[in-house]
Amino acid sequence: MQRERLHSSRQALNETKELQHQLEIRLQTTKSQQGSLQQSVVRMQTQFTILTERKASLQKDFHIGKPLLELENKLAAALGRRLHIEEELNQARSVIDGLEHELRDLEHRRTSIEREIAKVRDILETLRLEGQSLKVKIEAIVE
């Protein structure tokens, strides 16, 4: 009976450790993806700044006397790129928010698993102590 409980406790511990290992791998992957997306966001913000400066330059050129139609076309192209970049930025932010949410969920699961591991360890320790107690009683009876 105790061997069965010990065996099932060990098996549960091994399964819990395996799950924890898998969650840690997934956590590292998620952190890596988050870092990549944050770099993309920084790059897009830089592009946005460059386009804003370009817009200012175009406005300055307009006042110098360039043909109005040419400047309007350049401005329309720049605004189109800006909108595209803002869409990418919003998508990246959305992905980052999703990853952060998933990261929080994984942290909660890891904490739960660690609690379960602690419970299993306590059970194993109790079983070990009971086993020692039985061994001592058997030795006392034999003597």
Side-chain angles (χ1 to χ4, degrees):
M1 170 109 175
Q2 286 181 344
R3 284 187 182 180
E4 291 173 344
R5 283 182 24 199
L6 180 61
H7 178 71
S8 65
S9 295
R10 284 183 181 158
Q11 185 176 3
L13 177 62
N14 288 336
E15 290 172 359
T16 305
K17 284 182 180 180
E18 177 62 27
L19 180 59
Q20 180 184 10
H21 177 71
Q22 290 173 359
L23 289 175
E24 287 174 354
I25 290 172
R26 189 169 177 197
L27 176 64
Q28 292 301 321
T29 302
T30 303
K31 284 182 180 181
S32 175
Q33 289 174 344
Q34 181 182 12
S36 176
L37 288 173
Q38 285 175 337
Q39 289 176 354
S40 295
V41 167
V42 169
R43 187 182 74 249
M44 287 181 206
Q45 287 173 336
T46 302
Q47 289 176 346
F48 179 76
T49 302
I50 291 170
L51 288 175
T52 303
E53 292 171 0
R54 178 69 178 137
K55 177 184 172 189
S57 173
L58 290 173
Q59 288 175 339
K60 180 181 174 187
D61 289 344
F62 175 75
H63 294 295
I64 293 176
K66 286 194 176 182
L68 181 60
L69 183 58
E70 180 184 349
L71 291 174
E72 285 178 349
N73 290 339
K74 287 183 179 181
L75 180 60
L79 289 175
R81 287 190 305 266
R82 178 181 176 176
L83 288 174
H84 179 71
I85 288 171
E86 286 180 350
E87 285 178 17
E88 288 181 356
L89 180 62
N90 287 334
Q91 289 173 353
R93 286 180 178 152
S94 176
V95 170
I96 286 174
D97 289 342
L99 290 173
E100 288 176 342
H101 179 70
E102 185 176 346
L103 182 63
R104 282 191 300 274
D105 289 345
L106 289 172
E107 288 290 339
H108 289 297
R109 285 184 67 189
R110 183 179 59 91
T111 303
S112 295
I113 288 170
E114 287 176 351
R115 278 191 229 119
E116 288 179 26
I117 288 172
K119 288 177 184 177
V120 170
R121 283 184 182 143
D122 289 343
I123 291 169
L124 287 174
E125 181 63 23
T126 302
L127 291 173
R128 185 185 64 80
L129 291 174
E130 288 176 4
Q132 286 178 349
S133 173
L134 288 174
K135 184 179 178 182
V136 168
K137 287 178 182 179
I138 289 170
E139 287 175 3
I141 291 172
V142 169
E143 292 177 3

